[in-house]
Amino acid sequence: MDAFELGCAVLSATVYQAGRDRANLAPLPSGATKVALSGLTDGYFFDSATGFEASLYQYQGKYIIAFAGTDPKDGHDLAANVMLGSGVMEAQLKQA
């Protein structure tokens, strides 16, 4: 794994923000910045109705989108997993 890939792996950890204490959030890798766009708060998007969570970053001259994975203990995510596994176009997939 090279330095860029390692930085992207760290960015993928930073997307997990919903329900977490700020002290427990992963730090951004050196040189990475959050990208502010319409609909994003500080480069972050969370939809409490569906459980969808994503962030947008700029890192080493590239734009990186990080999506939170599903949590099988969360009702929204469990329903999304079942629907996606059944071939149904689910709301979280549409949001991605």
Side-chain angles (χ1 to χ4, degrees):
M1 180 179 296
D2 65 24
F4 177 76
E5 292 168 334
L6 181 59
C8 289
V10 172
L11 287 174
S12 70
T14 66
V15 73
Y16 293 90
Q17 296 181 31
R20 289 155 188 89
D21 187 282
R22 295 208 55 83
N24 294 326
L25 298 179
L28 291 178
S30 178
T33 57
K34 294 179 180 179
V35 177
L37 290 175
S38 177
L40 299 178
T41 302
D42 195 23
Y44 174 73
F45 179 82
F46 176 67
D47 184 341
S48 61
T50 66
F52 179 78
E53 191 173 11
S55 289
L56 177 62
Y57 307 96
Q58 190 166 22
Y59 181 59
Q60 294 189 5
K62 299 183 184 330
Y63 288 96
I64 309 295
I65 302 171
F67 300 102
T70 58
D71 177 356
K73 293 179 259 172
D74 178 272
H76 293 118
D77 287 351
L78 182 59
N81 288 344
V82 170
M83 291 171 65
L84 288 167
S86 301
V88 176
M89 179 63 88
E90 204 277 326
Q92 289 188 21
L93 179 60
K94 291 177 186 176
Q95 289 175 304

